Amino acid sequence: HFHVLLGKKTEQTYDSFNAKWFDLRAVCTKFNDIFEELKNMHRSGSNDFNILAIASCEYKVTTNGKPFGHQKAWEVCCNGPK
């Protein structure tokens, strides 16, 4: 069933994908919380690009210098169907 949903045969198991998704979801959720908080501040003249840059900096500060490296995955999660 898992391989049918994936659309191809892989050596990875459902559990290995699920573990990676669990970690990715936690990182993206943390970043999204920062992004949404900044977005809700309604700074004059700000746009999503500016907010994204500031959120990236704040994320790096809150994670002891580790940059947010999953922007594409975050965009898919934000813009995709819920």
Side-chain angles (χ1 to χ4, degrees):
H1 178 71
F2 170 69
H3 294 290
V4 172
L5 288 175
L6 187 59
K8 62 181 177 180
K9 188 77 173 164
T10 179
E11 298 299 319
Q12 292 183 309
T13 65
Y14 169 80
D15 290 333
S16 69
F17 275 114
N18 197 35
K20 288 180 182 182
W21 168 244
F22 182 81
D23 294 340
L24 180 62
R25 184 179 60 177
V27 170
C28 286
T29 298
K30 184 174 188 166
F31 181 80
N32 194 63
D33 289 346
I34 294 168
F35 180 84
E36 288 298 324
E37 184 178 329
L38 291 168
K39 192 172 181 177
N40 290 335
M41 289 180 162
H42 299 291
R43 292 184 179 168
S44 178
S46 65
N47 57 37
D48 282 355
F49 181 75
N50 294 350
I51 295 169
L52 184 61
I54 296 167
S56 295
C57 290
E58 285 196 21
Y59 179 87
K60 192 173 182 178
V61 168
T62 62
T63 58
N64 296 319
K66 185 175 182 183
F68 181 64
H70 302 288
Q71 183 176 339
K72 292 291 184 188
W74 172 77
E75 289 172 0
V76 169
C77 291
C78 287
N79 299 325
K82 303 295 182 232

